Each structure stands twice: as structure tokens, then as C-alpha cells.
Amino acid sequence: MTVSGEPGRRWTRDALALPVLQVAPGLLGSLLTHDGVTVRLTEVEAYAGQEDPGSHAFRGPTPRTEVMFGAAGHLYVYLSYGVHRCVNVVTGEPGSASAVLLRAGEVVDGARVARARRLAVRSGVVPGRDLARGPGNLARALGLGADHDGVDLLEVGGPVDLRHGPAPAPGEVRRGPRVGVSGPGGSAERFPWRFWLRSEPSVSAYRAARLPSRATSRH
DNA sequence: CGTGCGATTATCT
DNA sequence: GATAATCGCACGC
């Protein structure tokens, strides 16, 4: 079983059920389509469930993380900082609770629709390369939201579609610490599980996790 | 260019 | 009641 596939062909559940560190880099260059917009993935992060202090599933199943404990190929969508929706693809065998966070992509179709969605939240024209740059922006550009939590990517005739793209050249894939991950023991450095395509302008800028603000008191 | 901060709310302790 | 897998803007160099 391989993670690679023919360009234009849909991902299979078996391929997505492989270990998350294998699937995550394999998703780079793939095409995700929803409601008039197609994005070519340029940046992703792997999260390894209960073995991973950076994962929402680290402390076991909860109502929110339930989808990640299920079969590969479903979407896990969560609300970040009370403001942004972020989209993951569930990977691995049932019970592994692993998933890949979709961090950025290049809008290859439907730029007009994507731009309109972004304009609803931001004043001024969004440059093309910024349309799906950053996980919150990617979700908004694609029109994905809370309603899509649990959606099966592989359902025939389903709303969301994930296809293989032309495989990136081997030297194009880069790897480094995940963005903004705090968690016990500062898991960003210990788990360099962010993957991206070199020299892609849509890849988001790296930001370290914000340090806990010491001044807790507010009045 | 880099760094810092406020927004806003579902989720879990 | 505290926290968080972020974003865009303000400000200082």
C-alpha cells in the first residue's frame, strides 16, 4: 500500500489509513475541492493522537475529538481561539486518533469565490497567494465550517473531494517544527511534524507558540 | 522587517 | 474560570 496515487484520482481510505507521518507529506500537492473552490495543498501538520501532547486527542476521547478516533478520511473541524475554523483529515487505523491539519494551499480554481469569502472578514483586496494561507484562511476560502465536522471525504457524491495531484519533486518537501503548538513539555521542537513545499508563496509564516502571559489579573 | 496584542467562544477541568 | 493547532493590525527599528 502506497501513499502516492495517480494525479486526478481520488484518495482511497486504505491510503489515508496508513501512519500519519507517512500520509501527511504525501498530501502535499493534492487537490481539495468544496463548493466552487479548489486548493492545492502546500503546507500540512501531523498530529498523532494519544501519543502526541500537541494533539487535541492526547487526553483521550471527548465529544469534540470523537471523529479522530474513527475511520480515516473524515474531516475534523474545530474552532480555534473562538474565531477561526481549522480543518483536519483523519488518518490511520480506527482508534489511532491521528489527523493532518491542513495549513495552507494555492487556490487553483475559484479564486473569485475564495476572494469574496475572505472579503467578508477582511477589508481590502486579498492577494492571490494569501487566499488560503494559514489554516483559518484555508477553511474560509474553501467555505468549510462547523457543519463539515465529520464529513466523509470518500463518500461518492459527497460535498468535499480530495484528489491526488502531480507528485512534488522529492527535494521540494521540507520539514520542521509545528506552528503555535504549546502543550506539555513544549511539543513543537520535540515533534517536527510540519511539512511544506519549498518556494511556495502560499506557505504560512512560522510563528512560535505565544508564551503564557504572566499578568493574569484583569478587572 | 520583526514583535506584540486583542478578538471571541466552544470545550474541558 | 482558563485555555487555545490563529489572524490582522499597530507600532518600533
Side-chain angles (χ1 to χ4, degrees):
Chain A
M1 179 58 50
T2 315
V3 92
S4 64
E6 283 293 305
R9 227 185 130 168
R10 285 180 91 125
W11 276 76
T12 64
R13 198 169 322 272
D14 283 350
L16 289 170
L18 291 170
V20 66
L21 287 180
Q22 199 174 334
V23 177
L27 281 169
L28 295 173
S30 286
L31 303 172
L32 185 67
T33 303
H34 174 255
D35 198 17
V37 174
T38 297
V39 152
R40 173 175 162 262
L41 300 174
T42 57
E43 181 189 359
V44 300
E45 278 174 3
Y47 287 85
Q50 298 192 77
E51 310 157 20
D52 177 3
S55 170
H56 290 166
F58 181 55
R59 293 170 199 279
T62 67
R64 176 177 64 151
T65 61
E66 187 189 343
V67 208
M68 286 196 281
F69 285 83
H74 294 257
L75 294 183
Y76 164 55
V77 181
Y78 71 93
L79 181 65
S80 177
Y81 289 88
V83 181
H84 311 280
R85 301 284 170 183
C86 296
V87 179
N88 296 248
V89 175
V90 175
T91 64
E93 294 296 329
S96 74
S98 58
V100 177
L101 170 68
L102 309 181
R103 289 197 54 89
E106 174 197 3
V107 174
V108 294
D109 194 33
R112 216 176 184 83
V113 180
R115 184 166 281 114
R117 288 178 177 141
R118 292 294 310 281
L119 271 175
V121 172
R122 202 208 214 196
S123 57
V125 176
V126 182
R129 70 155 180 203
D130 289 347
L131 283 173
R133 192 182 195 210
N137 293 333
L138 179 142
R140 180 159 287 277
L142 280 166
L144 293 171
D147 293 348
H148 299 92
D149 188 38
V151 159
D152 185 2
L153 283 175
L154 303 173
E155 184 191 326
V156 177
V160 194
D161 183 72
L162 180 64
R163 290 174 187 277
H164 292 279
E172 284 295 296
V173 177
R174 297 266 138 142
R175 174 188 173 141
R178 295 179 294 189
V179 176
V181 177
S182 41
S187 22
E189 296 296 331
R190 280 166 53 219
F191 302 90
W193 293 348
R194 175 192 186 212
F195 301 91
W196 68 94
L197 292 179
R198 186 174 75 135
S199 58
E200 279 292 337
S202 60
V203 172
S204 66
Y206 179 79
R207 289 196 192 200
R210 215 206 295 200
L211 296 175
S213 63
R214 211 61 177 85
T216 312
S217 78
R218 58 182 73 176
H219 48 85

